[in-house]
Amino acid sequence: TTSGDAVELVEESLDVNLLNNAVRLRIQGCPFLPGGVHLCEVQSHLVVLLITGQTVHRLLLPHPARMYRSELITESQMQSVFTDIGKINFRDPSNYYVIPSVPGLASNSVASAAWLSSEGEALFALPSASGGIFVLKLPPHDAPGTVSVVELKQSSVMQRFLTGWMPTAIRGDCGPSDLPISLSVHCLDHDAFLFALCQDHKLRMWSYKDQMCLMVADLLEFMPVSRDLRLAAGTGHRLRLAFSQSLGLYLGVYMHAPKRGQFCVFQLVSTESNRYSLDHISSLFSSQETLVDFALTSAEIWALWHNEENQTVVKYINFEQNVAGQWNQVFVQPLPEEEVTVRHDQDPRETYLEYLFLPGRFTNAAIQKALQIFSQGTERHMDLTWDELKKEVTLAVESEFQGSVTEYECSPEEFWQLQVEFWSKFYACCLQYQEALSRPLALHLNPYTSMVCLLKKGSLSFLVPCSLVDHLYLLSNEHLLTEDDAAIFDDLEMSRDVVCLVQCLRLIGESISLEMAFIMEMACSRLQPPEKAAEQILEDLIANDTENVMEDIHSKLQEIRNPIHAIGVLIREMDYETDVDMERAHHLNMRMNLTQLYGSGTAVNVVCWGVCKIATIRFLICRDLLILQQLLLRLGDPMVLGGGQLFQSQQDLLHRTSPLLLSYYLIRWASQCLASDVPVDTLESNLQHLSVLELADTTALTPHKLVSSPQTIVELFFQEVARKHIISRLFLQPNTSLAETSLNWPHLITAIVADFLPLLWPSNPGFLFPECLMGSCQYTQLQEYIRLLQPWCHVNMGSCCFMMGRCYLVMGEGHKALDCFCQAASEVGREEFLDRLIQPEEGEMVSTPRLQYYNKVLRLLDMVGLPELVIQLATLAIMESADDWRSQATLRTCIFKHHLDLGHNSEAYVALTQNPDPSRQLDCLRQLVVVLCERSQLQDLVEFPYVNLHNEVVGIIESHARAVDLMTHNYYELLYAFHIYRHNYRKAGTVMFEYGMRLGREVRTLRGLQKQGNCFLAAINCLRLIRPEYAWIVQPASGAVYERPGASPKRSHDGECTAVPSTCQIEILELEDLERECVLARIRLTLVQHDLSAAAVAGNSTPEETVALLVRAGLFDTAVTLCQTFKLPLTPIFEGLTFKCIKLQLGGEAAQAEAWDWLAANQLSALVTTKESSATDEAWRLLSSYLERYPSQNSLYHRCVINKLLAHGIPLPNWLINSYKRVDAAELLRLYLNYDLLEEAVDLVLEYVDAVLGKGHQYFGIEFPLSATAPMVWLPYTAIDQLLQALRESTANHYNVMLYQKLHDKMEDYQQKVSVATRDRLYRR
């Protein structure tokens, strides 16, 4: 569009959404000529040729086909050809030229033409100031050259008039009457024909190449002419060309005359020797309206007028077939109502907002401009989304309103009145801008696709073919009944009947007031029967019939031969119900032209508004038809009803019309219902739900950011789902007529709308529309859709219930959702959507359809996190699965799981016991045990009766007890409680003993040993509760032998599986054994309490190892107790204590201080208080007391102590020598000899001999010394001999020699006394 020195260029595509597709160019001080924008297409470029009053310009834009290299396009957006327009150098001398002053542009003509030659030159034809035409030629854009100007002047030519050929010489310059007022060009291979319609009503044809006029035709020859017209300058004439490969070149001329106009259509005819003439095809007269623009094809004229009321009128005519010369009306979108009716029970703000923002009523631009003016230009409102705009409008009007209310108090009526006043003021503002923006400026006709568009200031309108029924209803009576139009059907009588019927409907429609129309709207919205509403409207019509409309209708009805049949035909024409579901879409794996066909927002908008328009008109037709049927019923005249037609068939038709009306109401509602903007997280959660239902592939899910113009749910459906279905049906199916044809707009748009309506039709088996709404998260809209549908539509009832359930689920109303899901179950197996829902997965167990349905819903409820509802539904499903134990097992498992999750332990247990599948039952049991343990609900776990499951429970708890960490889980204690609760004490004892053993093995800490002691005590307690003969348990096997389910096999070093030992010896433990183990455990604990570092080794040590550890720690009393319990020798204790005495004797102060710790742990005999006692003294005293307290056979302990001392070179204390002399002097002598202590040995022998002889015999434990009357005595002669021998051998030492002599003498003396005693004894005997 051009306005002054600015031009607005907009690129529109029906296939893809274009980015940066609008540009505004301004050439300062150079106003554009009207129609001075010409677009030419070459292989690599689009060339825009611009003509202003002073200059001509050439713009080179990239060709859309070159915008993407890839042929396959998957995106829904691409860059417009204007994207890089900012990079163009508009001042490039090769692409613009200033119009020269000679010959100069004619000031009183706005005609122009521009074209590209076959060589790529840009040519501009302009009216010359001196009359005639001059042509500016710019050289090709990619070749150097200069601009040339050629003026076309007339020379001699053969002119053909209708009377025949006559030669005329025309010389000299053109007069101003010859000034071109409309120019058109027809390009040939190497030439161009220029057609000029001049002020003198003549048409001149020029050859640019030859620069000569080839033809002049006086057009007044073809119209009724008055003298005034011939003398007046023809300023309003228009010229258009249309070329067809088969028919040649057509010229359409509009001859303007005051109060009338005429179209003439000619065909250019060429004869031999380059002579041309016009063949008159048709003359068509038009009404008195002002012509804005017209377009010509090889068969039709399309014209755009403004009438006296300044309203837009568009008409077309087929000039070849229309004998009567009657124009066809195009029903243009009317402007919104001038006033909005607000009832007193309505809120003005809500009513006006609803009316303003109803899709398709006002454009975003109109509301934004009105807002700008209304808020007095304080803010700039640019690029607001529909919702943002709504908020801004509300704020602006409310703030104006608040500012004007000066009174603190006003009555509700005054308040309401003020609101209406301000809102109507804003509404008037919007209406004004809407009117300005929707004013058509020109017609655009695409010759290749036969598409006709209206170019408006703010938008582009597409003309879409109207269906026959709608055409008849919309057409006014004066245009209706010509013979051609009446022959609608093959049967002429039937055609007349239908036309008369539609006329009756029009009469009814025209007499219905707004209040009456509102009755039907409310009935449909409130789900009341439309028949009742129609009856009420009829009564109102009869009551208010001031213009005798009823009589007119009655007389019209008399003309209908068979009303029942005619109504049936009309209903059939409007019904889109199909018997079978439309085949689901093929994958459109094709080139750009099909995958993207009609995929842009513009195309979606056109298709959906086409559907909305049809639904709106047909709703009115059905409404009027219902009223007419009620009238027929009321009349009840057999003559009117066509020869006694049955009342029943009339009722049937009534009941067929009612669903039709409601179907169109629903489609109209959906076409005006806005889609919601969905957040990404909602989309993602919806996608998860759909993946559970395995429906995720039905729609391509993308977050819809609704910018500038809002999207309705029908547009959403067409864009996401329906378009692919329809295109694949039209183009990919065999025997399809459209596949062979070009993309003819009227045929294709009609076919698409005709295929789209069945997809939206509520009573068809296909369920794609609600499915798409669900997939796109339009839950509120889906709920309203189903609400409007459910009372009267009995198709897909189950699917609707399921969808409603999904909506409730998302809204957080779970119980309502469950009711809906249960209702839907009855329709499973009967509806396509539900059948698709229950298709089993690969490897899934196939059960009955209803069970599969329940399974899907259970999964959905589970994902949403509604366990109570899962339990309810699963319980319901169990009733269905009476004969299918596998399904029962699955459902019982499901019930168990959710009861358990909810903490309903008893119910979970009941569900578990009712499970018919033993393996699942065992799984549930295992889960019950683990979960209740984790929750510490052990009382429930222990107290359940476990009928027929006792061993399984024990096995599960045992396997868990043996498999998990002992300190974090208390499965052994649970098992102990389990057995105690059932009075099974031996098993309880076994469990605690095993627990204790494992604690010692695996938990080598102080806490572990404390627990171990308690375990053994508990085990002892258990056995003491049993009769003695049964008080025994089986020794538990060591940990490695337990067969744990799922454990990996043990392997040897070469990788082979080691053989499991087939038999293992059973060991019986009695009470005494347990008591011993308990003692050992207690002693280990004592040890670890004294020395924590010992915990790592003490935990599982044997009694012998424990003794060693105790000795090392200095706990000698405890060690003695352990040795006595397990009947072990005390030797290690004496050795250890002796060693500690030695260390103390040799150690320093630190050793002394440390010693008190372990000395304190042992029970010492009464302390000596007479003198200060050291740790060393106390240690020796402890040793001495032990030797006294624990006598041994053959003085074993003395010997080991002395051995230890002598081994370390420590002199023997006197008390030890004295005590050992009393016990075993001979052994002491041998020890002295072993360690080479000769002097001590000699002293000992001398004392020993004296004792035997009676001197100090009590010190050597000799009761009776040597005498003839006493028992026999003896000496260790072998040892004494060894001593003597040793002394004899060491003669080098003088001292040893003395010792030897002394001992030798003593022995000699002893021998003599022995001899005497022996003799005396023998003598006495």
Side-chain angles (χ1 to χ4, degrees):
T1 59
T2 58
S3 172
D5 59 359
V7 60
E8 283 183 27
L9 300 171
V10 179
E11 184 188 5
E12 282 288 355
S13 167
L14 293 178
D15 296 339
V16 285
N17 293 320
L18 299 171
L19 302 171
N20 311 307
N21 66 326
V23 65
R24 184 182 172 90
L25 295 176
R26 192 166 183 201
I27 301 172
Q28 198 83 34
C30 300
F32 282 88
L33 295 186
V37 180
H38 303 268
L39 191 70
C40 307
E41 185 178 353
V42 292
Q43 197 165 6
S44 58
H45 288 92
L46 291 179
V47 183
V48 183
L49 303 175
L50 303 172
I51 306 170
T52 74
Q54 281 90 32
T55 54
V56 294
H57 299 262
R58 171 172 57 193
L59 299 183
L60 291 172
L61 301 170
H63 196 282
R66 299 292 178 95
M67 292 299 286
Y68 270 139
R69 290 181 186 174
S70 163
E71 289 185 5
L72 274 172
I73 290 187
T74 53
E75 296 89 348
S76 60
Q77 295 180 329
M78 69 184 271
Q79 294 291 348
S80 162
V81 294
F82 299 132
T83 301
D84 296 327
I85 198 163
K87 297 175 183 175
I88 294 175
N89 180 8
F90 291 96
R91 298 187 179 278
D92 180 359
S94 64
N95 284 325
Y96 87 100
Y97 192 71
V98 177
I99 296 171
S101 53
V102 178
L105 188 65
S107 57
N108 54 347
S109 173
V110 292
S112 68
W115 71 98
L116 285 181
S117 71
S118 53
E119 286 79 31
E121 299 148 334
L123 297 121
F124 301 88
L126 296 159
S128 168
S130 58
I133 306 165
F134 70 94
V135 181
L136 280 168
K137 181 174 77 175
L138 296 183
H141 70 92
D142 50 0
T146 56
V147 178
S148 64
V149 180
V150 172
E151 198 166 358
L152 302 180
K153 296 194 175 185
Q154 276 187 262
S155 58
S156 65
V157 69
M158 291 299 290
Q159 283 187 302
R160 178 192 173 197
F161 295 97
L162 292 176
T163 51
W165 292 99
M166 54 184 294
T168 310
I170 302 169
R171 299 194 181 278
D173 293 334
C174 299
S177 63
D178 304 342
L179 186 72
I181 51 170
S182 187
L183 282 170
S184 287
V185 66
H186 174 60
C187 296
L188 303 172
D189 284 345
H190 297 288
D191 195 3
F193 288 164
L194 263 169
F195 294 88
L197 185 55
C198 302
Q199 282 193 100
D200 59 359
H201 317 295
K202 290 181 181 173
L203 178 67
R204 294 174 170 83
M205 172 179 156
W206 297 82
S207 163
Y208 170 69
K209 188 177 77 172
D210 300 336
Q211 296 180 21
M212 63 186 286
C213 182
L214 301 178
M215 183 190 75
V216 179
D218 186 355
L219 298 178
L220 293 180
E221 300 277 339
F222 303 102
M223 62 185 290
V225 180
S226 66
R227 180 179 170 78
D228 296 342
L229 179 63
R230 190 174 285 281
L231 294 174
T235 51
H237 302 336
R238 305 281 176 92
L239 170 65
R240 297 286 183 269
L241 305 182
F243 177 72
S244 157
Q245 291 285 356
S246 54
L247 301 170
L249 186 66
Y250 282 80
L251 288 86
V253 177
Y254 174 71
M255 300 298 289
H256 174 73
K259 298 191 178 177
R260 73 175 192 275
Q262 180 185 334
F263 288 92
C264 295
V265 182
F266 304 98
Q267 190 171 12
L268 187 68
V269 181
S270 67
T271 56
E272 68 285 346
S273 68
N274 256 11
R275 292 184 176 184
Y276 292 88
S277 64
L278 293 179
D279 192 355
H280 179 242
I281 302 292
S282 178
S283 283
L284 303 160
F285 296 93
S286 69
S287 55
Q288 298 169 14
E289 289 115 347
T290 310
L291 183 75
V292 178
D293 192 13
F294 84 96
L296 178 73
T297 71
S298 53
E300 292 172 332
I301 294 175
W302 292 79
L304 168 65
W305 284 282
H306 283 149
N307 62 13
E308 288 87 351
E309 288 86 39
N310 211 12
Q311 291 174 329
T312 302
V313 178
V314 182
K315 294 181 180 177
Y316 72 98
I317 190 165
N318 188 312
F319 54 77
E320 290 194 322
Q321 294 173 0
N322 198 313
V323 182
Q326 186 163 336
W327 290 79
N328 293 298
Q329 180 77 39
V330 173
F331 307 106
V332 292
Q333 176 83 17
L335 283 167
E337 300 289 332
E338 288 195 10
E339 286 183 6
V340 178
T341 310
V342 186
R343 299 195 314 276
H344 277 280
D345 61 338
Q346 288 180 308
D347 177 27
R349 178 173 66 182
E350 280 183 22
T351 310
Y352 271 99
L353 281 175
E354 186 182 336
Y355 199 84
L356 278 167
F357 288 92
L358 189 77
R361 194 163 273 165
F362 287 91
T363 62
N364 195 307
I367 298 175
Q368 286 199 17
K369 287 198 172 183
L371 183 60
Q372 196 73 39
I373 295 298
F374 193 78
S375 51
Q376 291 157 3
T378 49
E379 293 176 50
R380 294 281 291 163
H381 300 285
M382 296 299 288
D383 295 328
L384 296 175
T385 65
W386 204 238
D387 285 339
E388 288 165 351
L389 190 58
K390 204 171 187 176
K391 284 178 191 165
E392 289 295 332
V393 166
T394 310
L395 282 171
V397 178
E398 290 292 313
S399 61
E400 286 282 318
F401 166 63
Q402 298 292 346
S404 71
V405 177
T406 51
E407 301 291 327
Y408 281 111
E409 288 184 16
C410 63
S411 67
E413 290 77 16
E414 288 170 332
F415 186 82
W416 185 86
Q417 196 60 50
L418 275 170
Q419 271 191 307
V420 170
E421 193 181 307
F422 276 90
W423 276 103
S424 61
K425 183 179 161 189
F426 179 75
Y427 180 78
C429 227
C430 292
L431 201 59
Q432 190 181 338
Y433 279 106
Q434 183 66 24
E435 197 171 339
L437 288 172
S438 56
R439 188 178 181 83
L441 304 172
L443 264 175
H444 167 70
L445 193 149
N446 185 329
Y448 305 107
T449 61
S450 307
M451 179 192 284
V452 185
C453 301
L454 288 181
L455 300 177
K456 300 180 179 178
K457 192 172 181 183
S459 58
L460 182 66
S461 285
F462 294 82
L463 303 191
V464 177
C466 183
S467 71
L468 177 69
V469 175
D470 305 357
H471 172 75
L472 288 173
Y473 184 74
L474 291 171
L475 211 57
S476 55
N477 284 347
E478 62 266 20
H479 290 129
L480 188 61
L481 261 180
T482 62
E483 283 301 312
D484 300 340
D485 285 354
I488 301 159
F489 305 104
D490 295 338
D491 180 352
L492 193 61
E493 282 193 5
M494 174 48 59
S495 300
R496 286 188 178 134
D497 277 2
V498 171
V499 169
C500 286
L501 178 65
V502 174
Q503 283 180 312
C504 288
L505 298 182
R506 272 187 65 83
L507 284 169
I508 292 171
E510 284 164 2
S511 54
I512 286 178
S513 66
L514 279 173
E515 288 79 9
M516 294 177 193
F518 187 69
I519 292 170
M520 184 59 83
E521 293 281 343
M522 282 295 100
C524 295
S525 173
R526 292 172 179 169
L527 313 179
Q528 293 157 353
E531 297 94 325
K532 299 278 184 199
E535 200 172 348
Q536 189 183 339
I537 293 169
L538 179 63
E539 285 171 5
D540 290 355
L541 278 174
I542 293 168
N544 301 319
D545 185 15
T546 52
E547 296 172 9
N548 297 328
V549 176
M550 285 299 145
E551 280 184 27
D552 296 347
I553 294 168
H554 202 275
S555 61
K556 213 43 151 174
L557 281 171
Q558 301 294 339
E559 295 175 27
I560 306 174
R561 294 169 186 77
N562 190 338
I564 299 289
H565 195 190
I567 291 170
V569 168
L570 195 61
I571 289 172
R572 273 200 305 279
E573 279 294 310
M574 292 192 292
D575 197 350
Y576 281 92
E577 190 169 323
T578 55
D579 295 334
V580 291
D581 180 26
M582 287 178 73
E583 195 176 329
R584 297 184 77 77
H586 301 273
H587 182 60
L588 285 174
N589 187 16
M590 301 192 69
R591 297 296 176 195
M592 172 184 174
N593 56 352
L594 274 194
T595 50
Q596 301 300 112
L597 184 64
Y598 292 172
S600 76
T602 307
V604 170
N605 194 267
V606 171
V607 171
C608 296
W609 276 111
V611 166
C612 183
K613 202 82 180 153
I614 289 171
T616 307
I617 295 163
R618 300 224 174 145
F619 172 74
L620 298 176
I621 295 173
C622 293
R623 180 197 68 188
D624 299 345
L625 189 58
L626 266 180
I627 296 165
L628 184 69
Q629 286 171 296
Q630 290 288 6
L631 178 63
L632 285 172
L633 278 175
R634 182 172 288 223
L635 291 171
D637 185 346
M639 290 309 291
V640 172
L641 290 173
Q645 283 283 346
L646 290 173
F647 175 78
Q648 183 60 42
S649 60
Q650 178 67 13
Q651 284 283 3
D652 290 346
L653 281 177
L654 198 65
H655 294 313
R656 278 177 64 195
T657 312
S658 182
L660 209 59
L661 171 106
L662 290 165
S663 296
Y664 281 117
Y665 175 81
L666 190 61
I667 293 171
R668 188 192 71 181
W669 168 84
S671 301
Q672 295 173 340
C673 175
L674 292 182
S676 310
D677 200 356
V678 184
V680 176
D681 56 343
T682 309
L683 273 177
E684 285 173 357
S685 86
N686 182 52
L687 198 56
Q688 289 175 345
H689 294 181
L690 293 179
S691 65
V692 166
L693 299 172
E694 288 154 45
L695 294 174
D697 60 335
T698 52
T699 53
L701 295 169
T702 49
H704 303 291
K705 185 66 185 160
L706 309 174
V707 189
S708 66
S709 68
Q711 193 177 33
T712 65
I713 54 175
V714 169
E715 288 172 346
L716 176 71
F717 173 54
F718 182 77
Q719 183 179 316
E720 297 292 341
V721 179
R723 186 183 68 85
K724 297 188 188 86
H725 279 263
I726 294 164
I727 300 299
S728 72
R729 247 177 73 83
L730 293 179
F731 288 93
L732 301 185
Q733 288 189 351
N735 309 321
T736 174
S737 59
L738 281 165
E740 288 83 40
T741 64
S742 62
L743 297 176
N744 180 283
W745 168 257
H747 294 169
L748 194 52
I749 194 74
T750 307
I752 286 173
V753 169
D755 265 9
F756 189 27
L757 274 165
L759 291 175
L760 290 168
W761 200 252
S763 54
N764 279 343
F767 201 60
L768 286 173
F769 181 45
E771 206 178 324
C772 169
L773 294 182
M774 180 177 78
S776 305
C777 306
Q778 305 297 320
Y779 301 116
T780 315
Q781 295 86 335
L782 182 54
Q783 276 182 294
E784 179 63 11
Y785 176 82
I786 293 169
R787 184 190 77 82
L788 292 170
L789 188 70
Q790 268 182 331
W792 58 271
C793 180
H794 305 301
V795 179
N796 287 321
M797 288 171 70
S799 304
C800 284
C801 281
F802 180 83
M803 289 292 182
M804 200 57 135
R806 278 275 290 114
C807 294
Y808 282 136
L809 212 53
V810 173
M811 306 291 183
E813 298 185 83
H815 288 283
K816 286 185 183 177
L818 184 63
D819 291 343
C820 291
F821 290 142
C822 294
Q823 284 173 33
S826 61
E827 299 299 318
V828 171
R830 299 182 201 165
E831 295 177 12
E832 185 269 343
F833 171 75
L834 293 175
D835 287 350
R836 233 169 355 100
L837 190 70
I838 62 170
Q839 282 176 350
E841 300 171 35
E842 279 184 41
E844 189 182 2
M845 180 183 65
V846 178
S847 54
T848 63
R850 201 175 287 192
L851 278 175
Q852 284 170 276
Y853 166 77
Y854 282 134
N855 190 25
K856 279 284 170 70
V857 177
L858 285 168
R859 280 195 225 168
L860 181 63
L861 293 173
D862 193 10
M863 166 168 271
V864 178
L866 296 169
E868 297 100 331
L869 302 187
V870 173
I871 291 164
Q872 282 183 43
L873 187 62
T875 309
L876 193 68
I878 284 170
M879 298 175 194
E880 293 281 334
S881 62
D883 305 327
D884 185 351
W885 69 269
R886 284 193 180 84
S887 299
Q888 283 234 349
T890 307
L891 292 165
R892 298 266 184 213
T893 305
C894 178
I895 292 171
F896 162 81
K897 175 185 174 296
H898 288 92
H899 270 313
L900 191 59
D901 290 346
L902 289 168
H904 304 160
N905 300 344
S906 303
E907 291 86 345
Y909 172 74
V910 170
L912 176 155
T913 55
Q914 291 172 344
N915 200 318
D917 183 352
S919 69
R920 279 180 185 261
Q921 194 177 43
L922 204 57
D923 291 341
C924 293
L925 192 57
R926 198 170 284 119
Q927 199 175 350
L928 181 74
V929 170
V930 173
V931 170
L932 293 189
C933 283
E934 283 171 358
R935 291 184 193 155
S936 302
Q937 295 174 334
L938 304 178
Q939 186 161 356
D940 285 355
L941 187 57
V942 168
E943 291 178 1
F944 286 138
Y946 301 111
V947 179
N948 299 327
L949 291 170
H950 184 275
N951 292 341
E952 285 81 355
V953 178
V954 171
I956 289 165
I957 303 176
E958 273 181 358
S959 67
H960 274 88
R962 290 166 182 165
V964 299
D965 180 26
L966 291 172
M967 295 308 280
T968 51
H969 298 83
N970 53 359
Y971 285 111
Y972 276 109
E973 290 168 16
L974 169 65
L975 200 51
Y976 171 74
F978 184 88
H979 289 311
I980 290 288
Y981 184 74
R982 286 160 180 72
H983 307 294
N984 194 340
Y985 298 117
R986 184 193 291 161
K987 283 208 171 165
T990 307
V991 166
M992 289 319 270
F993 186 70
E994 182 182 322
Y995 187 21
M997 280 178 64
R998 282 194 59 206
L999 281 167
R1001 249 193 331 267
E1002 297 167 30
V1003 188
R1004 300 186 177 185
T1005 61
L1006 177 62
R1007 186 156 166 264
L1009 289 168
Q1010 285 169 337
K1011 285 193 90 160
Q1012 185 186 40
N1014 292 338
C1015 290
F1016 288 152
L1017 283 172
I1020 289 167
N1021 257 352
C1022 290
L1023 290 194
R1024 284 189 176 147
L1025 291 170
I1026 308 172
R1027 282 186 294 173
E1029 61 266 33
Y1030 297 113
W1032 53 267
I1033 61 171
V1034 176
Q1035 166 85 45
S1038 63
V1041 178
Y1042 294 132
E1043 289 274 344
R1044 287 200 289 275
S1048 60
K1050 299 293 172 268
R1051 300 176 186 278
S1052 62
H1053 63 278
D1054 57 357
E1056 294 298 317
C1057 288
T1058 53
V1060 178
S1062 54
T1063 56
C1064 53
Q1065 200 166 359
I1066 291 174
E1067 192 177 336
I1068 300 297
L1069 298 177
E1070 295 185 341
L1071 192 55
E1072 296 76 22
D1073 302 321
L1074 260 65
E1075 285 169 345
R1076 275 204 300 278
E1077 283 293 335
C1078 186
V1079 169
L1080 179 59
R1082 203 164 55 242
I1083 286 172
R1084 286 179 188 140
L1085 178 61
T1086 308
L1087 169 65
V1088 173
Q1089 283 169 338
H1090 180 77
D1091 178 12
L1092 278 174
S1093 64
V1097 282
N1100 196 33
S1101 56
T1102 61
E1104 290 83 357
E1105 290 164 349
T1106 310
V1107 168
L1109 293 169
L1110 289 166
V1111 167
R1112 195 188 72 182
L1115 302 177
F1116 297 105
D1117 283 355
T1118 314
V1120 168
T1121 306
L1122 182 59
C1123 288
Q1124 288 171 339
T1125 304
F1126 283 90
K1127 297 184 175 55
L1128 300 176
L1130 302 180
T1131 314
I1133 298 170
F1134 282 102
E1135 282 186 352
L1137 183 52
T1138 307
F1139 184 63
K1140 280 197 178 293
C1141 291
I1142 294 166
K1143 277 177 72 180
L1144 278 174
Q1145 193 156 324
L1146 300 177
E1149 288 295 324
Q1152 293 279 330
E1154 276 177 31
W1156 285 112
D1157 290 341
W1158 62 262
L1159 281 168
N1162 295 293
Q1163 200 163 3
L1164 295 166
S1165 53
L1167 286 170
V1168 179
T1169 53
T1170 53
K1171 65 168 186 166
E1172 194 176 317
S1173 178
S1174 69
T1176 313
D1177 297 338
E1178 288 305 313
W1180 285 114
R1181 279 186 65 224
L1182 184 63
L1183 180 59
S1184 167
S1185 68
Y1186 277 5
L1187 285 170
E1188 285 173 21
R1189 205 180 307 158
Y1190 307 115
S1192 62
Q1193 195 177 358
N1194 299 330
S1195 59
L1196 179 66
Y1197 303 144
H1198 282 80
R1199 186 162 70 247
C1200 93
V1201 169
I1202 292 167
N1203 231 332
K1204 195 79 172 169
L1205 288 170
L1206 293 178
H1208 284 82
I1210 302 296
L1212 302 183
N1214 287 333
W1215 62 265
L1216 182 58
I1217 296 170
N1218 292 338
S1219 106
Y1220 198 25
K1221 277 197 298 192
R1222 198 176 291 113
V1223 178
D1224 192 351
E1227 186 57 35
L1228 179 60
L1229 173 60
R1230 282 192 283 277
L1231 286 168
Y1232 278 153
L1233 285 173
N1234 285 350
Y1235 290 98
D1236 211 19
L1237 300 174
L1238 301 181
E1239 188 179 351
E1240 289 81 347
V1242 170
D1243 290 345
L1244 179 62
V1245 172
L1246 293 174
E1247 281 182 35
Y1248 194 13
V1249 171
D1250 286 343
V1252 170
L1253 292 175
K1255 184 183 176 185
H1257 60 86
Q1258 67 276 16
Y1259 298 119
F1260 281 84
I1262 297 171
E1263 203 173 334
F1264 303 105
L1266 179 66
S1267 83
T1269 57
M1272 287 185 279
V1273 292
W1274 56 85
L1275 284 177
Y1277 285 111
T1278 309
I1280 294 169
D1281 286 347
Q1282 285 171 348
L1283 177 59
L1284 287 168
Q1285 180 62 29
L1287 289 169
R1288 199 182 297 125
E1289 286 172 357
S1290 56
T1291 51
N1293 189 333
H1294 176 64
Y1295 187 64
N1296 283 357
V1297 173
M1298 281 171 61
L1299 288 175
Y1300 172 77
Q1301 195 58 48
K1302 196 173 179 180
L1303 181 58
H1304 186 266
D1305 292 348
K1306 191 73 173 173
M1307 287 310 294
E1308 284 293 329
D1309 180 39
Y1310 174 73
Q1311 291 296 342
Q1312 286 173 7
K1313 287 180 178 169
V1314 169
S1315 298
V1316 171
T1318 306
R1319 278 199 304 275
D1320 287 351
R1321 186 174 184 100
L1322 289 171
Y1323 176 72
R1324 286 191 67 190
R1325 193 181 283 177

